[in-house]
């Protein structure tokens, strides 16, 4: 499966333009895409998800019914890939509270876009990896900090992924300066991460949303993206991982964090008990009740008869007998 985890969305995007872009991405071969909503930190107290909802694709039918209408039989230009919702937070000061746990409840994927060196260091070293999964950089602009190997590899080892958005560099609205910045920053990022922990996304906006990402024309086929990244220093195998394995890990981990037990075990369902297990449990319950009843009866019987003598009373009686024997001997 191929992933594109960044298709920009804005309130001005129309439903028709968005659907056209999604169908075009499916036609290019992408199976899962994420609509990206960008906000500036600090986030509002009440975080709501304004991204449009799409019906989930129907599950594939049994192969014994080849005539049924399934996504495999449907023409590619008519399909809509699986849609996820993503929030990207522009972070300039790490002291600002972005309220990441609250945002994680409203979106499927969270990403940080640092704009200063201090924010970049915080995103790589201190931000909780349980809330954020992506570090997205505006590689088409001149970065105010250097991408050094130590913080970048620390972020990769913590489970974070760096995102490369090629839309602003290859779209129709890109200029020569943006392309030059993009190529230099990509080479610097590949050198700092050694090609590991990268996620490649289009970053293209839906048609009509603006000229920043070039609309659907900024989308490229996976083979074209891998070839471009190979020219810019990323090996072909790492490029395929950046389109398939790495984004799949992000999607699966984020889903488990939100639906699983402590973000580790995904609870799918609880199996029903068999008849034998139920019979054994009923038998144990009956035996326990029977033992409790016998104990209560024994307790009542002891109360009706003589009560057992305590150790203190026995000692007193022994002392009294010894005293009496001593008096008899003296007499």
């Amino acid at each position: 499966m191929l992933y594109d985890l960044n298709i920009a969305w804005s309130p001005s995007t129309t439903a028709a333009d968005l659907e056209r872009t999604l169908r075009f991405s499916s036609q290019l071969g992408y199976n899962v895409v994420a609509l990206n909503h960008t906000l500036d930190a600090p986030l509002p107290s009440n975080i709501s998800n304004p991204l449009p909802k799409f019906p989930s694709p129907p599950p594939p039918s049994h192969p014994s019914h080849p005539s049924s209408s399934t996504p495999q039989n449907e023409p590619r230009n008519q399909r809509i890939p699986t849609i996820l919702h993503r929030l990207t937070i522009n972070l300039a000061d790490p002291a600002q509270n972005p309220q990441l746990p609250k945002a994680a409840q409203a979106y499927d994927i969270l990403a940080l876009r640092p704009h200063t060196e201090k924010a970049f260091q915080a995103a790589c070293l201190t931000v909780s990896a349980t809330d954020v999964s992506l570090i997205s950089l505006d590689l088409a602009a001149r970065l105010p900090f250097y991408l050094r190997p130590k913080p970048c590899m620390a972020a990769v080892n913590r489970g974070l992924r760096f995102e490369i958005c090629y839309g602003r560099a290859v779209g129709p609205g890109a200029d020569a300066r943006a392309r030059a910045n993009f190529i230099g920053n990509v080479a610097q990022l590949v050198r700092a991460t050694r090609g590991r922990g990268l996620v490649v996304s289009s970053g293209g906006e839906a048609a009509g949303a603006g000229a920043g990402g070039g609309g659907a024309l900024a989308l490229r086929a996976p083979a074209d993206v891998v070839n471009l990244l190979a020219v810019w220093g990323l090996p072909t195998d790492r490029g395929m991982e950046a389109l398939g394995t790495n984004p799949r890990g992000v999607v699966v981990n984020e889903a488990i964090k939100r639906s699983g037990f402590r973000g580790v075990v995904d609870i799918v369902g609880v199996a029903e008990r068999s008849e034998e297990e139920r019979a054994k449990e009923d038998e144990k319950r009956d035996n326990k009740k029977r033992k409790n009843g016998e104990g209560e009866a024994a307790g009542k019987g002891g109360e009706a008869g003589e009560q057992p003598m305590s150790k203190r009373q026995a000692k007193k009686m022994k002392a009294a007998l010894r005293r009496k024997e001593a008096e008899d001997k003296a007499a």
Side-chain angles (χ1 to χ4, degrees), residues 9-10 13-15 18 22 35 49-55 83-85:
W9 177 91
S10 65
T13 305
T14 62
L18 180 59
L22 294 177
L35 299 180
N49 185 355
L51 294 172
K53 305 294 189 299
F54 287 86
I83 309 297
L84 301 177
H85 292 169

Side-chain angles (χ1 to χ4, degrees), residues 61-125:
S61 61
H62 198 272
S64 62
H65 302 282
S67 61
S68 60
S69 176
T70 62
Q72 286 77 11
N73 298 328
E74 187 180 358
R76 226 180 220 189
N77 56 357
Q78 299 296 329
R79 295 186 209 164
I80 290 182
T82 303
I83 309 297
L84 301 177
H85 292 169
R86 165 182 163 175
L87 175 65
T88 301
I89 303 172
N90 291 322
L91 187 64
D93 185 5
Q96 296 173 340
N97 183 16
Q99 300 182 6
L100 298 178
K102 287 185 178 180
Q105 298 175 1
Y107 293 87
D108 299 320
I109 301 173
L110 287 186
L112 284 182
R113 173 160 286 188
H115 291 274
T116 61
E117 185 175 4
K118 194 174 180 181
F120 177 73
Q121 293 287 337
C124 292
L125 302 177

Side-chain angles (χ1 to χ4, degrees), residues 183-204:
I183 294 172
N185 290 330
V186 167
Q188 190 178 358
L189 181 61
V190 171
R191 190 164 48 248
T193 60
R194 301 173 187 173
R196 303 174 185 172
L198 299 179
V199 172
V200 177
S201 305
S202 64

Side-chain angles (χ1 to χ4, degrees), residues 114-118 120 137 142-148 188:
H115 291 274
T116 61
E117 185 175 4
K118 194 174 180 181
F120 177 73
L137 301 173
R142 184 182 178 88
L143 296 177
F145 48 85
Y146 291 103
L147 300 176
R148 295 183 174 86
Q188 190 178 358

